[in-house]
Amino acid sequence: TQVPEIPLRKVERHLKSINNALSKVDNVLLKIEKTICGVLIVVMACIIFLQIICRMLKFPLDWSEELSRFMFIWLIYISVCIATQKESHLCCDILPILVRGAKGRLIIKIISNIFCLCFFIFVAYWGVDVLYNLFIRPQLSAAMHVNMFWAYLGTYLGAAMAAIHYIILIFREIGEIIDMNDQKGAIEG
C-alpha cells in the first residue's frame, strides 16, 4: 500500500517547479537587460564622441546631448534590474547581523525584498498613468522633438522589470527556507 503524500510536500514540490521556471525567466531577462545596457553604452559613447568631434569642427549637434541623456536614463533604470537580480544594491546590513541563524537572516531578507517589491510596483503602477498622459497629450523634447513618453518609459519599464526580479528573489528565498527545514527534519529524523 502507498502512504498518501502530505499536502505540505506537494506545496514544496510545486514551489520547486515554480522556482525552476522563474529561474529560467530570470536568466532570459538578465540576458536581455545586459544586451540593452551594452548597446546603450556603446551607442552613447559613439554619440558623445561624435559631438566632441563636431564641436571641434565648429559644427555642434543639437540632438546629441539630449539623445545621450535619454539613453543614460534608460541605462540607469535597466541597470537597476541587473543589480536587483545580482542582489548588489547598497543595503543596511545591521539587522541581519543582529539576528542569529541563517533562517532568521533569510526572513529579514525576504521582508526587505517585499518592501523593495512594493516600492517598484508603486513606481510602475503610477508610471502607467504618467505614460498614458504623455501618450494622449504628447510633450515634445526640446532638441529632437520626440515625445517624452520614450524618455520616461525607461524609468517605469525598469521599475516593472525590477519588480519581476524581486518576485523571483522572494520565491527563491522561500525555497531556501523550505530546504533548510527539510535538512533540519532529515537530521532530526
Side-chain angles (χ1 to χ4, degrees):
T1 63
Q2 231 179 11
V3 178
E5 192 174 7
I6 302 170
L8 185 60
R9 296 289 176 218
K10 284 184 180 180
V11 171
E12 289 175 12
R13 194 173 64 238
H14 289 300
L15 185 62
K16 286 183 182 183
S17 65
I18 289 171
N19 273 340
N20 289 338
L22 288 177
S23 182
K24 290 176 185 175
V25 170
D26 202 29
N27 290 334
V28 169
L29 272 179
L30 185 63
K31 286 179 185 175
I32 292 169
E33 292 158 357
K34 283 183 175 182
T35 302
I36 291 171
C37 286
V39 168
L40 286 172
I41 287 174
V42 169
V43 173
M44 243 173 59
C46 291
I47 290 171
I48 293 169
F49 180 72
L50 179 66
Q51 172 65 3
I52 292 169
I53 298 299
C54 287
R55 272 194 191 165
M56 288 173 35
L57 298 173
K58 306 286 189 221
F59 182 69
L61 303 172
D62 313 1
W63 54 268
S64 63
E65 182 185 343
E66 189 172 84
L67 180 59
S68 59
R69 188 179 325 123
F70 290 170
M71 293 174 82
F72 191 60
I73 291 168
W74 273 77
L75 180 65
I76 288 168
Y77 288 101
I78 300 298
S79 297
V80 164
C81 302
I82 295 170
T84 299
Q85 196 271 350
K86 294 186 176 294
E87 298 183 64
S88 58
H89 284 294
L90 290 175
C91 65
C92 179
D93 55 359
I94 189 72
L95 201 53
I97 290 171
L98 296 175
V99 174
R100 291 191 179 161
K103 190 174 179 180
R105 284 190 285 277
L106 261 175
I107 291 171
I108 296 290
K109 200 171 167 186
I110 289 171
I111 292 169
S112 170
N113 286 342
I114 288 171
F115 281 126
C116 291
L117 172 64
C118 290
F119 170 74
F120 282 115
I121 287 173
F122 175 80
V123 171
Y125 176 79
W126 287 106
V128 170
D129 188 49
V130 170
L131 292 173
Y132 176 74
N133 287 331
L134 283 170
F135 192 75
I136 61 170
R137 283 175 286 185
Q139 177 185 352
L140 302 179
S141 65
M144 296 187 306
H145 304 289
V146 173
N147 190 345
M148 291 298 288
F149 170 89
W150 299 107
Y152 282 83
L153 179 63
T155 304
Y156 304 118
L157 183 65
M161 292 169 70
I164 292 169
H165 283 297
Y166 272 112
I167 290 168
I168 293 168
L169 278 173
I170 291 166
F171 269 96
R172 187 180 305 146
E173 290 158 354
I174 290 170
E176 288 177 29
I177 289 176
I178 289 172
D179 287 344
M180 284 180 184
N181 288 340
D182 285 348
Q183 291 171 358
K184 186 178 177 184
I187 291 171
E188 291 173 357

